[in-house]
Amino acid sequence: MVFWKEFGRALKEGLTSEFSHKDKLVSLLLCETSAKPAGELTTLADYVLRMPEGQNDIFYLTAESRALCESSPLLEAFKEKGWEVLYFVDPVDEIVVEYLPEFEGKRLKSAAKGDLDLGEKKDIEAAAANYKDMLGALQGKLDEWIKSVRLSSRLTSSPACLASDEHDMSPTMERMMRMSGGELPRQKRILELNAKHEIVRKLQERYEKDANDPILADYAELLYGYAALAEGSELPDPVRFNQLLASLMARGA
């Protein structure tokens, strides 16, 4: 651990340049993980040994801190299934994962990217057929900020989260580039909704009663804001979000 604290970052940077020694460097790589308490690290080899039957990929999540990883709604289904997720919280990790597509024949896959199949693909597809029109209506109201709205296999208790396309830049990398002075347009993300959550089910009921119900637009913005805050991203319009939240609270008071 003392050696890793002193030279860990240098070893990670070596993965991006010392290709002739890549295998040796990868074997020395230590990572934060959901399977161990803060301060205890794991190797990729030990992660693979712990993989349960049915898990084929090595999953990871990048964020600015372990706390953000642990509280991320993106990991709810992973926790429920007992699947371990590596926490990549060092800024250089964003670059390392680009040079480390697999380990021992297992793909390294971001828990925040792509349309993951966590064992409920058929159920999600069946529900999506019923929710299709409502999801399209929400997408139309959020088109300025998102690519699409879809039902999620990642969520078990939260109503919404933001995911990225497979090859998109992570929100952590996007924030890092902006902080370093880079100029780039805000990436549009994918808003995923939990079809089993009461909020989403009630939105579907309201849509079925009146597809032009103005409250649908308000809830679309609130769900997007909720998902952005949950991952540590900035709200596109904090004043508007606060107004909508206050209005919602007033209606329920």
Side-chain angles (χ1 to χ4, degrees):
M1 283 295 293
V2 174
F3 176 84
W4 181 255
K5 287 180 180 179
E6 292 293 329
F7 301 105
R9 178 167 291 197
L11 290 175
K12 289 179 182 180
E13 292 173 348
L15 285 171
T16 69
S17 57
E18 300 295 329
F19 302 114
S20 60
H21 301 294
K22 183 177 179 179
D23 290 341
K24 291 182 179 179
L25 292 172
V26 170
S27 69
L28 298 173
L29 187 64
L30 294 177
C31 311
E32 293 260 13
T33 170
S34 62
K36 295 180 179 291
E40 293 187 27
L41 307 178
T42 189
T43 64
L44 292 176
D46 285 342
Y47 177 106
V48 171
L49 288 174
R50 291 192 293 269
M51 287 173 60
E53 185 177 352
Q55 181 183 344
N56 300 313
D57 301 316
I58 298 172
F59 291 100
Y60 68 88
L61 184 65
T62 60
E64 283 88 345
S65 68
R66 181 186 177 98
L68 279 174
C69 288
E70 290 181 327
S71 63
S72 174
L74 293 163
L75 302 188
E76 289 176 356
F78 289 93
K79 293 174 181 176
E80 187 171 275
K81 294 176 72 66
W83 285 8
E84 184 176 352
V85 178
L86 298 174
Y87 298 154
F88 287 161
V89 297
D90 189 333
V92 73
D93 290 340
E94 289 282 352
I95 302 172
V96 168
V97 293
E98 298 298 323
Y99 288 84
L100 193 60
E102 61 89 25
F103 176 77
E104 293 187 356
K106 308 289 187 182
R107 290 186 307 165
L108 264 75
K109 187 170 179 59
S110 172
K113 293 185 178 183
D115 187 8
L116 299 182
D117 183 1
L118 299 177
E120 296 187 358
K121 192 76 171 179
K122 291 183 179 179
D123 292 340
I124 295 296
E125 290 175 350
N130 294 326
Y131 281 78
K132 179 180 178 181
D133 291 341
M134 192 268 284
L135 296 177
L138 296 182
Q139 181 175 340
K141 299 178 189 308
L142 295 172
D143 192 56
E144 180 182 355
W145 300 316
I146 64 169
K147 289 182 178 181
S148 62
V149 182
R150 69 187 180 203
L151 297 185
S152 180
S153 64
R154 294 173 168 89
L155 300 171
T156 60
S157 57
S158 296
C161 68
L162 289 174
S164 302
D165 272 337
E166 192 71 43
H167 301 292
D168 278 358
M169 186 186 308
S170 75
T172 307
M173 175 62 82
E174 186 178 359
R175 287 192 289 271
M176 285 169 53
M177 291 187 67
R178 283 207 173 88
M179 289 174 64
S180 65
E183 294 185 6
L184 69 162
R186 180 185 291 272
Q187 281 191 133
K188 287 188 175 183
R189 310 281 300 291
I190 299 164
L191 179 64
E192 292 194 346
L193 301 181
N194 180 359
K196 297 178 181 179
H197 197 281
E198 184 178 14
I199 290 175
V200 178
R201 288 191 285 105
K202 286 187 174 180
L203 277 180
Q204 173 66 12
E205 292 172 4
R206 293 190 78 106
Y207 180 83
E208 290 174 352
K209 291 178 180 178
D210 181 4
N212 297 311
D213 188 337
I215 202 172
L216 293 170
D218 292 347
Y219 269 97
E221 291 186 53
L222 284 168
L223 285 169
Y224 174 78
Y226 171 96
L229 290 173
E231 70 172 18
S233 293
E234 295 181 359
L235 295 170
D237 189 344
V239 173
R240 170 68 175 165
F241 181 82
N242 284 340
Q243 290 172 341
L244 289 173
L245 184 59
S247 176
L248 174 65
M249 293 173 69
R251 284 197 295 266

